[in-house]
Structures are given as C-alpha cells and as structure tokens.
Amino acid sequence: MENPIPPMQEPRNEQLVNALHGAVAGELRHVRALIEELASVLVADEHFVERYLDQLQAFDLLVQCTEESAAVLDRLAAGACTRTAIAPVRLGQVQARLQAALAPGL
C-alpha cells in the first residue's frame, strides 16, 4: 500500500487551488466588463435597440451569471466549502445547476 501524500504537500496544493479560484474569478469579472461594454455600445444605437430589445436582455443575464460564478469562486478561494460557496447564489437556475454538479459526489 502506498503512503498517503505527506501533509506538507497538501496545504501548498490547497493554496494553489485557492489562488486559481481567485484568478478565474478575476477572469470572469473581466469577461463581465467586456460584455457590459459591448452592451453599452449596442444600446447606444437606437435602431438596434428597437429591433433587438428582447435579445439585448440576454446581456444582463450573462452579466449576472458571470458575476455569480465569480462570487462562488471567490468564496471557494477564501476557504468556503462547496455548499457554503453555492448557497448565496441569487439566480435560481445557476444555483440549481451548481448543486446538480455536486450531486454525483454525494
């Protein structure tokens, strides 16, 4: 039987995972900012807005989903357990998908 990973290696790996979670959260926020900039440009075009108002609402949903996902990663990076990281998600469909992703691990 192999020896388990020495305890000294686990905290370093956890630190790297936490740092990665924080970095990915930052990337998602960068994507959110780009989406918001694009939406601002499109909304400035009155004819475009008249023609595609319903589709423009998708930008708001994308921004919200991106921010919620970034917040989950921030909580994980801070050391929260997965269920605690997901619990504050305000968008019901996002929260349900994240919880469903955990279901196989139960």
Side-chain angles (χ1 to χ4, degrees):
M1 180 150 102
E2 291 185 29
N3 290 334
I5 297 173
M8 293 175 65
Q9 289 182 1
E10 289 179 32
R12 178 68 180 142
N13 186 50
E14 185 175 325
Q15 290 171 347
L16 291 174
V17 169
N18 290 346
L20 183 58
H21 283 148
V24 173
E27 288 298 318
L28 286 171
R29 287 196 173 93
H30 178 71
V31 169
R32 182 200 69 208
L34 293 173
I35 292 169
E36 288 175 329
E37 288 175 22
L38 176 59
S40 293
V41 169
L42 294 175
V43 169
D45 183 334
E46 185 178 322
H47 297 291
F48 189 87
V49 172
E50 288 176 12
R51 189 167 182 182
Y52 298 105
L53 181 61
D54 291 338
Q55 290 81 0
L56 285 171
Q57 292 175 356
F59 282 105
D60 184 52
L61 182 59
L62 288 169
V63 166
Q64 289 180 49
C65 289
T66 304
E67 181 54 39
E68 290 287 5
S69 297
V72 168
L73 288 170
D74 281 338
R75 289 188 287 273
L76 289 170
C81 72
T82 53
R83 298 243 180 249
T84 301
I86 293 171
V89 173
R90 296 172 300 226
L91 295 173
Q93 291 179 344
V94 172
Q95 189 179 78
R97 287 191 299 264
L98 294 173
Q99 289 175 343
L102 297 178
L106 296 177

